[in-house]
Amino acid sequence: MEDYHGMWAELGLDLERHDEFLAGLGPAYQEIYLNQESRPKGMEYFDFVTSEVHGLRIKELLELKKKGHKIVGTFCVYVPEEIVMAVGGVWVGVCGGAQFSIPDAETVLPRNLCPLIKSAFGFMEAKTSPYYRVPDLFVGETTCDGKKKTWEIFENYVPFYTMEIPNSKDYMGKRLWLEEVIKFKEKMEMESGISITPERLEEGIRAMNRKRKAMARFFDLRKADPPPVSGKDALLVSQIAYYDDPERFTTKVNVLCDELEKKVQKGMGVVKKGTPRIMISGCPFALPFWKIHHIVESAGAAVVVCDESCVGTRYFSNMVDEGLPTLEDKLKAIAERYLKINCSCFTPNEERIEEIARYVKDFKVDGVILFTLQFCLTYSIEGVRVQEALKGMGIPVMEIETDYGEQDIGQLQTRIEAFMEQIS
Amino acid sequence: MEDYHGMWAELGLDLERHDEFLAGLGPAYQEIYLNQESRPKGMEYFDFVTSEVHGLRIKELLELKKKGHKIVGTFCVYVPEEIVMAVGGVWVGVCGGAQFSIPDAETVLPRNLCPLIKSAFGFMEAKTSPYYRVPDLFVGETTCDGKKKTWEIFENYVPFYTMEIPNSKDYMGKRLWLEEVIKFKEKMEMESGISITPERLEEGIRAMNRKRKAMARFFDLRKADPPPVSGKDALLVSQIAYYDDPERFTTKVNVLCDELEKKVQKGMGVVKKGTPRIMISGCPFALPFWKIHHIVESAGAAVVVCDESCVGTRYFSNMVDEGLPTLEDKLKAIAERYLKINCSCFTPNEERIEEIARYVKDFKVDGVILFTLQFCLTYSIEGVRVQEALKGMGIPVMEIETDYGEQDIGQLQTRIEAFMEQIS
């Protein structure tokens, strides 16, 4: 790997603390990822990307910046990537997945707050990640209370734009959301100096649909018994979707899928046939948060076959209609597609419960882990009714609420083992 | 007091547990309220109302129900009481203020959730309060994540209607809110079978304005040094505003104010002149939650002179324009007035920070307690910037985050004493 300290210094990073953070990642990755058996060869690309997460990708983004492309840091799958692409910009998901930066956040933000938000804030505030130094603009959204109010503080540090997400998907909610998508388009035009033509937007729509189709194809292959890829590896691919070059990522996912298809035809998988199949459903797992998948899949006792979260099905579900005649039609289609995402911040959100039930059937799920990041109220409360629905289907359910720390690992291991026994 | 067990039995209450709850209230009220010195005579009415909280008021509501008046249980100051009045209905605030019902709630809801929501849910679920048996309809709102998602469960138990509160007060937010107010009007017409005429609505507007003016007059009198009424007594009056008969309440508050005005003219107060003056700002104190005011005002070390919360200034700030020509104008005026409430669920919410700064000056506040109910993210995160602003004004600030339990009372006493010393 190149020595990126010069680049990091120019970005104004706290080099010492940043080194400290990276030093922890290597060994963790070895233990969690590289020690796996029967890994598809196609995962090598994603290992490489992860090893260069603060290096080569940042270098690429800086080179794009120099050429005038706008880098947009985002915190939510509702922010339409097509629109960023249409001005030649780059959409980069910057939710935080590391415990490392949380103490820094807690010098400003309340402790009782989602670790994903604290982690992002801490990296930004303490300058310990290049992803909070490179973007020209950060785009937040009013999904949950934690994010909605944290952006009011975040925006005092960096250029920030907030999209309003309605609380409901009813008539007024749809109108408000369409307005927000149009306003975001205007914001991106203003930021970039580039006018979004129907052609530019169509290109973005098709590029995003290609990426989504690749991810949908990838998840489809996990339906096999045994699955040809581990849940941990699938999670990693889903996490990298958020910040890798879209076209290159799409290509590499398809290459991986070609390999996985052959494995599935030969009945080759990463675990024995009949290994308990788990779906993890709820809050997202931002890079590099791998704790739960690692515990579940250790000792080969179970395999995660589906992730119903922003870093999973909610990322790629549904395409945007292609080839619509006017710019307005395309923007409407974008607004429609994004509003189909079934985040628990909406009320009602029955479609998510139906979606989960469908995934249980399609992925032949034996047990569901309802995962909530600590202090996330929308997913924990919605989990009450999701659990009811799953119990009604006779599906074993386990609830996990946790943060990014390591204190509860032993306890989680015990509980998860017991859950696996219950399933078997 | 009459024996209400027959009435409670007819309401389907769990009589034994309900008795258990009431048995705790009496001694608490004696210690916290009746032991105060120099109480205005006008507080006797409010003592009486509190002593009959589950008795006479419930009896009154049941008699109104028999005559066809609709009883509407509400959880938020955004629900327009004028509209309920305009169909001859009665608006009753039913947020929970007691620890007693929380264990019941925790058999269904997640533990990490605002005590106000858990308390209300627990009383409803376990049938230990008549306020969740009497209403014909409950009206919730999408203010915070906790409430927004809890209503999805609440509505499986009782008739429920949810109003959507926008995340912003911008153009689309105003339109959405006006739509919601109109929809609520239609809902109340449907529920009651009564058509809301301009005259009926004007009556409601004027009745509510009278109640608000009485409360504003009451709070104005707290600006005196020394204040003629304790913060605890002011809190009680603010709490009773939520469920007493509006006209009677308005009359009794004005009678109390007549007495307080005389006291102020004579320089008579409940504490010595120059006693540290505290404002408590943030989350509401639902009946019978008195913990913080009691600790602050014990030993006469300080007096609460202003409450910036839903059970305080946010309840009565701003009138609705009277005498507008059409029904549509009146509904618009109602929507406008309610949208001025500066709840932290809005982003941005700069007006609240400005409002707090104004109260600090007007009420000659020496120190501010920023009060957050446990797990309330909007107030705790907004508190970061409120604190910044107050520090900029040189005003001492203390943050309290707590639930309804008693475990932290000693710790709070220590911290509050230290804060008082810091102020003096």
Side-chain angles (χ1 to χ4, degrees):
Chain A
M1 196 194 301
E2 214 177 299
D3 182 357
Y4 296 105
H5 284 86
M7 178 179 80
W8 294 330
E10 267 186 58
L11 284 173
L13 284 188
D14 179 332
L15 293 179
E16 201 180 306
R17 297 206 57 219
H18 181 239
D19 279 348
E20 196 190 320
F21 170 61
L22 290 181
L25 272 190
Y29 199 76
Q30 176 72 40
E31 188 205 320
I32 295 172
Y33 277 94
L34 302 179
N35 283 353
Q36 294 182 92
E37 291 175 4
S38 319
R39 288 186 84 205
K41 184 158 167 49
M43 285 306 299
E44 279 172 14
Y45 169 75
F46 301 97
D47 288 338
F48 171 71
V49 169
T50 311
S51 70
E52 288 279 350
V53 59
H54 282 198
L56 188 55
R57 184 55 182 155
I58 294 294
K59 188 174 170 185
E60 283 181 344
L61 292 174
L62 288 171
E63 277 161 7
L64 288 163
K65 265 187 93 157
K66 247 193 254 170
K67 294 179 191 162
H69 299 273
K70 295 300 174 190
I71 313 302
V72 181
T74 61
F75 296 94
C76 182
V77 287
Y78 279 98
V79 179
E81 192 168 347
E82 293 85 344
I83 289 178
V84 176
M85 285 175 165
V87 297
V90 184
W91 187 109
V92 182
V94 293
C95 284
Q99 175 63 30
F100 179 87
S101 53
I102 284 179
D104 294 301
E106 290 173 346
T107 63
V108 177
L109 297 175
R111 282 195 66 228
N112 284 8
L113 177 58
C114 168
L116 182 150
I117 301 171
K118 285 192 294 185
S119 179
F121 189 93
F123 277 126
M124 181 276 297
E125 196 270 347
K127 304 184 175 63
T128 48
S129 163
Y131 283 93
Y132 304 88
R133 309 294 300 160
V134 167
D136 298 288
L137 178 71
F138 290 84
V139 179
E141 19 49 68
T142 64
T143 35
C144 64
D145 290 347
K147 281 182 159 180
K148 177 167 69 176
K149 301 303 285 184
T150 296
W151 304 147
E152 292 174 359
I153 304 173
F154 219 103
E155 65 188 14
N156 292 327
Y157 293 79
V158 291
F160 207 97
Y161 178 82
T162 301
M163 291 185 82
E164 184 174 346
I165 312 288
N167 288 304
S168 291
K169 297 186 184 186
D170 58 1
Y171 171 70
M172 282 308 288
K174 286 189 170 100
R175 287 187 66 180
L176 189 146
W177 177 237
L178 177 57
E179 276 290 315
E180 286 295 301
V181 168
I182 292 168
K183 274 163 65 185
F184 180 60
K185 167 213 176 249
E186 289 164 357
K187 175 66 176 175
M188 288 310 307
E189 288 179 315
M190 205 168 65
E191 283 293 308
S192 64
I194 288 170
S195 215
I196 294 181
T197 62
E199 293 72 31
R200 293 191 76 107
L201 193 55
E202 186 69 21
E203 265 185 54
I205 287 171
R206 290 174 190 241
M208 280 308 293
N209 280 349
R210 285 192 294 270
K211 179 151 74 148
R212 293 187 188 107
K213 285 198 182 106
M215 286 302 296
R217 182 186 174 206
F218 177 55
F219 266 56
D220 271 349
L221 289 157
R222 298 171 77 188
K223 292 174 179 172
D225 186 14
V229 66
S230 69
K232 281 193 301 200
D233 277 337
L235 174 62
L236 187 71
V237 173
S238 297
Q239 289 172 331
I240 289 170
Y242 274 74
Y243 73 94
D244 196 9
D245 174 78
E247 298 289 359
R248 181 174 66 213
F249 173 84
T250 302
T251 301
K252 293 297 187 179
V253 170
N254 278 315
V255 163
L256 175 62
C257 287
D258 292 340
E259 180 189 352
L260 297 182
E261 265 165 16
K262 295 196 180 74
K263 286 183 181 267
V264 167
Q265 279 159 21
K266 297 181 195 161
M268 287 168 60
V270 291
V271 289
K272 287 198 313 279
K273 196 171 152 77
T275 299
R277 301 166 65 86
I278 303 298
M279 174 161 77
I280 302 185
S281 165
C283 291
F285 290 80
L287 191 76
F289 183 52
W290 304 306
K291 183 165 90 171
I292 304 302
H293 291 69
H294 185 46
I295 295 174
V296 171
E297 296 195 327
S298 288
V303 63
V304 180
V305 295
C306 188
D307 297 272
E308 187 275 325
S309 86
C310 318
V311 188
T313 57
R314 294 201 298 268
Y315 180 80
F316 60 81
S317 297
N318 301 304
M319 307 293 129
V320 175
D321 289 346
E322 295 180 6
L324 294 176
T326 69
L327 187 68
E328 287 64 41
D329 293 331
K330 296 175 204 291
L331 288 169
K332 260 190 170 174
I334 287 172
E336 266 174 43
R337 182 267 162 194
Y338 279 86
L339 208 61
K340 287 182 186 160
I341 300 167
N342 296 324
C343 176
S344 64
C345 67
F346 285 96
T347 186
N349 197 32
E350 297 309 299
E351 296 91 339
R352 175 167 174 249
I353 300 181
E354 292 157 14
E355 206 171 29
I356 288 171
R358 253 194 337 269
Y359 293 147
V360 162
K361 296 205 180 90
D362 293 353
F363 287 81
K364 300 193 279 299
V365 166
D366 299 311
V368 176
I369 290 176
L370 290 179
F371 171 72
T372 313
L373 286 168
Q374 202 188 18
F375 308 120
C376 176
L377 287 173
T378 56
Y379 279 99
S380 72
I381 301 172
E382 188 165 276
V384 172
R385 298 182 55 246
V386 175
Q387 201 167 164
E388 235 175 53
L390 289 169
K391 284 187 173 163
M393 295 170 70
I395 302 292
V397 183
M398 171 187 180
E399 286 180 292
I400 292 181
E401 183 173 325
T402 188
D403 62 12
Y404 290 164
E406 309 204 321
Q407 310 94 309
D408 64 351
I409 282 182
Q411 197 195 66
L412 287 170
Q413 275 166 334
T414 307
R415 289 185 62 213
I416 289 171
E417 272 165 31
F419 185 54
M420 298 309 159
E421 272 168 51
Q422 181 192 343
I423 295 176
S424 319
Chain B
M1 195 191 303
E2 206 176 304
D3 182 357
Y4 296 106
H5 283 87
M7 177 179 79
W8 294 330
E10 266 187 60
L11 284 173
L13 285 188
D14 179 333
L15 292 179
E16 201 182 305
R17 296 204 58 218
H18 180 240
D19 280 346
E20 196 191 317
F21 169 62
L22 290 181
L25 271 190
Y29 199 77
Q30 176 72 40
E31 188 205 317
I32 296 173
Y33 276 94
L34 303 178
N35 283 354
Q36 295 181 92
E37 293 176 2
S38 318
R39 290 186 85 206
K41 185 157 169 48
M43 286 306 300
E44 278 171 15
Y45 169 74
F46 301 96
D47 287 338
F48 171 71
V49 169
T50 311
S51 69
E52 288 279 349
V53 59
H54 283 195
L56 188 54
R57 184 54 181 155
I58 293 295
K59 187 174 173 188
E60 284 181 342
L61 292 175
L62 288 170
E63 278 162 10
L64 287 164
K65 265 187 96 155
K66 245 193 252 166
K67 294 180 194 161
H69 298 272
K70 294 302 173 188
I71 313 301
V72 180
T74 62
F75 297 93
C76 181
V77 286
Y78 279 97
V79 180
E81 192 168 347
E82 293 85 341
I83 290 178
V84 175
M85 285 176 166
V87 298
V90 184
W91 187 109
V92 181
V94 292
C95 283
Q99 176 63 30
F100 178 87
S101 53
I102 285 180
D104 294 300
E106 289 173 347
T107 62
V108 178
L109 297 176
R111 282 194 66 230
N112 283 11
L113 177 59
C114 168
L116 182 151
I117 300 170
K118 286 193 292 185
S119 179
F121 189 93
F123 275 127
M124 181 277 296
E125 198 269 346
K127 303 181 174 64
T128 48
S129 163
Y131 283 94
Y132 304 88
R133 309 296 297 163
V134 168
D136 299 288
L137 178 72
F138 290 84
V139 179
E141 21 47 69
T142 64
T143 35
C144 64
D145 291 346
K147 280 183 160 180
K148 178 167 66 175
K149 301 301 285 185
T150 297
W151 304 148
E152 294 173 359
I153 303 173
F154 218 102
E155 66 188 14
N156 293 326
Y157 292 81
V158 289
F160 207 97
Y161 178 85
T162 301
M163 292 186 80
E164 183 174 346
I165 312 286
N167 288 302
S168 289
K169 297 185 185 186
D170 58 1
Y171 171 70
M172 282 307 288
K174 286 189 171 97
R175 287 186 67 179
L176 189 147
W177 178 237
L178 177 58
E179 275 290 315
E180 288 293 303
V181 167
I182 291 168
K183 275 164 64 183
F184 181 61
K185 167 216 177 245
E186 290 163 358
K187 174 67 175 176
M188 289 310 306
E189 287 178 317
M190 204 170 68
E191 284 293 310
S192 63
I194 288 169
S195 215
I196 294 182
T197 60
E199 293 72 33
R200 292 190 75 107
L201 192 54
E202 185 70 21
E203 264 185 57
I205 288 172
R206 289 173 190 242
M208 280 308 294
N209 280 349
R210 285 192 293 271
K211 181 154 67 149
R212 292 187 189 107
K213 285 199 182 104
M215 286 301 297
R217 181 186 174 207
F218 177 55
F219 266 57
D220 271 348
L221 290 157
R222 299 170 75 187
K223 292 173 179 171
D225 186 13
V229 67
S230 68
K232 281 194 298 202
D233 277 337
L235 173 63
L236 187 71
V237 172
S238 298
Q239 291 171 332
I240 289 170
Y242 274 73
Y243 75 93
D244 196 10
D245 173 81
E247 298 290 357
R248 182 175 65 213
F249 174 83
T250 303
T251 302
K252 293 297 188 178
V253 170
N254 278 314
V255 162
L256 174 60
C257 287
D258 292 340
E259 180 191 350
L260 297 182
E261 267 166 12
K262 295 196 181 70
K263 285 183 182 268
V264 166
Q265 281 159 17
K266 297 181 196 159
M268 287 166 61
V270 290
V271 288
K272 285 195 317 278
K273 195 173 154 76
T275 299
R277 302 165 64 85
I278 303 300
M279 174 162 77
I280 301 184
S281 163
C283 291
F285 290 80
L287 191 74
F289 184 54
W290 304 308
K291 183 167 88 172
I292 306 300
H293 290 67
H294 185 44
I295 296 175
V296 170
E297 296 195 325
S298 289
V303 62
V304 179
V305 295
C306 187
D307 296 90
E308 187 274 323
S309 86
C310 320
V311 188
T313 58
R314 294 200 297 270
Y315 180 80
F316 61 80
S317 296
N318 302 302
M319 307 293 129
V320 174
D321 289 344
E322 296 178 6
L324 295 176
T326 71
L327 187 67
E328 288 62 40
D329 292 331
K330 297 177 204 292
L331 287 168
K332 261 189 170 176
I334 287 172
E336 268 176 39
R337 182 264 163 196
Y338 279 85
L339 208 61
K340 288 183 184 158
I341 299 168
N342 295 323
C343 177
S344 64
C345 66
F346 284 95
T347 186
N349 197 32
E350 297 308 298
E351 296 90 340
R352 174 168 175 249
I353 302 182
E354 293 158 12
E355 204 171 30
I356 288 171
R358 253 195 337 269
Y359 293 147
V360 160
K361 294 204 181 91
D362 293 352
F363 287 81
K364 297 190 282 298
V365 166
D366 299 312
V368 175
I369 291 175
L370 289 180
F371 171 72
T372 314
L373 287 168
Q374 203 190 17
F375 308 119
C376 176
L377 288 174
T378 56
Y379 278 99
S380 71
I381 301 172
E382 188 166 277
V384 171
R385 297 183 56 244
V386 175
Q387 204 170 157
E388 236 176 54
L390 289 169
K391 284 186 174 165
M393 294 169 69
I395 302 293
V397 182
M398 171 188 179
E399 285 180 296
I400 291 180
E401 183 173 325
T402 187
D403 62 12
Y404 290 163
E406 307 204 324
Q407 311 95 307
D408 64 351
I409 283 182
Q411 196 197 67
L412 287 170
Q413 275 166 333
T414 309
R415 289 186 60 214
I416 289 171
E417 273 163 29
F419 185 55
M420 297 310 158
E421 271 167 52
Q422 182 194 341
I423 294 176
S424 323

